[in-house]
Amino acid sequence: GDSVTQMEGPVTLSEEAFLTINCTYTATGYPSLFWYVQYPGEGLQLLLKATKADDKGSNKGFEATYRKETTSFHLEKGSVQVSDSAVYFCALSVAQTGANNLFFGTGTRLTVIP
Amino acid sequence: DSGVTQTPKHLITATGQRVTLRCSPRSGDLSVYWYQQSLDQGLQFLIQYYNGEERAKGNILERFSAQQFPDLHSELNLSSLELGDSALYFCASSPHGTASTDTQYFGPGTRLTVL
């Protein structure tokens, strides 16, 4: 079946450190891949997405590249800020018979300390 | 602000009771999705509606049901509530909901506490 495996957290980094959160997937078809972010007390916000192999999604300094050969979609940021502290979810969607629900990873909590 | 609204924000009720959660999608979006977020199960897809019709079902219990009305708002009904139903319930919407490339926009959620 379709699933996402996400790097276990929590992750604690100092401000300006480099961030990588690993995400790998299993999909029966050709998925689209997403990173969502959840700030404390809020809903999920789309951070970035990629819809085909070798696509790179980017937003707010975050990047992720859709790697079909390694079935991965790792999230990276060169220099994190305190305001990046949140829970990050990797997700995939595979359109099937008119439906396209999201399958989420377990989430990775990031804390950035000054 | 995603444009998706959910009411109520918080709901506290007792075991055995029934509650209704409401969602209004972004203007123009035809698909509505419901997800449950709990500590032990993570984020799980419950059900999808597209333009009033059910499109997909996930791990939704038989005690739970949903519908999408002609004005495209949706309601999730939870009955015979159990302690384990305590969770954050999210609604999301997307323009179409038939393509994997469609982005889903999430509401702020309804926190349900069953005592």
Side-chain angles (χ1 to χ4, degrees):
Chain A
D2 302 319
S3 66
V4 172
T5 300
Q6 195 174 332
M7 176 174 137
E8 293 287 332
V11 174
T12 302
L13 295 174
S14 297
E15 207 165 20
E16 298 183 4
F18 184 84
L19 169 70
T20 300
I21 301 177
N22 291 337
C23 171
T24 57
Y25 68 88
T26 302
T28 50
Y30 299 96
S32 292
L33 301 172
F34 304 81
W35 278 99
Y36 279 86
V37 59
Q38 185 176 27
Y39 296 102
E42 297 185 15
L44 284 81
Q45 299 176 23
L46 177 69
L47 183 58
L48 52 85
K49 75 177 190 182
T51 59
K52 60 183 188 296
D54 299 325
D55 266 3
K56 177 187 280 189
S58 62
N59 185 27
K60 300 181 182 180
F62 290 89
E63 292 182 342
T65 302
Y66 187 160
R67 302 280 189 205
K68 189 178 176 184
E69 63 276 13
T70 55
T71 62
S72 65
F73 192 54
H74 305 321
L75 182 69
E76 296 183 336
K77 187 176 185 184
S79 176
V80 293
Q81 305 301 312
V82 172
S83 57
D84 294 326
S85 298
V87 181
Y88 293 81
F89 292 92
C90 184
L92 70 81
S93 172
V94 180
Q96 47 193 339
T97 58
N100 68 330
N101 52 285
L102 288 167
F103 294 88
F104 284 93
T106 52
T108 301
R109 181 177 300 277
L110 170 66
T111 301
V112 180
I113 54 178
Chain B
D1 185 354
S2 67
V4 178
T5 60
Q6 289 186 248
T7 57
K9 192 167 183 178
H10 301 279
L11 202 46
I12 301 174
T13 188
T15 54
Q17 296 298 304
R18 172 189 169 95
V19 296
T20 298
L21 282 53
R22 183 188 168 102
C23 168
S24 293
R26 292 186 327 151
S27 177
D29 284 359
L30 298 177
S31 265
V32 169
Y33 313 76
W34 287 97
Y35 292 87
Q36 179 194 59
Q37 185 179 35
S38 62
L39 283 175
D40 53 345
Q41 304 271 12
L43 260 166
Q44 289 206 318
F45 167 70
L46 296 178
I47 197 164
Q48 176 192 0
Y49 277 82
Y50 173 76
N51 205 20
E53 293 187 2
E54 181 184 302
R55 273 298 170 100
K57 263 185 174 180
N59 296 321
I60 187 166
L61 300 171
E62 284 191 11
R63 302 183 284 108
F64 295 1
S65 64
Q67 53 184 328
Q68 185 179 29
F69 295 86
D71 67 351
L72 301 178
H73 90 271
S74 177
E75 293 181 355
L76 179 67
N77 300 295
L78 315 176
S79 62
S80 303
L81 285 168
E82 303 175 359
L83 296 178
D85 298 327
S86 295
L88 198 49
Y89 291 85
F90 287 110
C91 169
S93 73
S94 70
H96 306 292
T98 56
S100 65
T101 55
D102 227 19
T103 295
Q104 294 181 31
Y105 297 89
F106 282 74
T110 293
R111 181 167 295 282
L112 173 67
T113 303
V114 182
L115 301 175

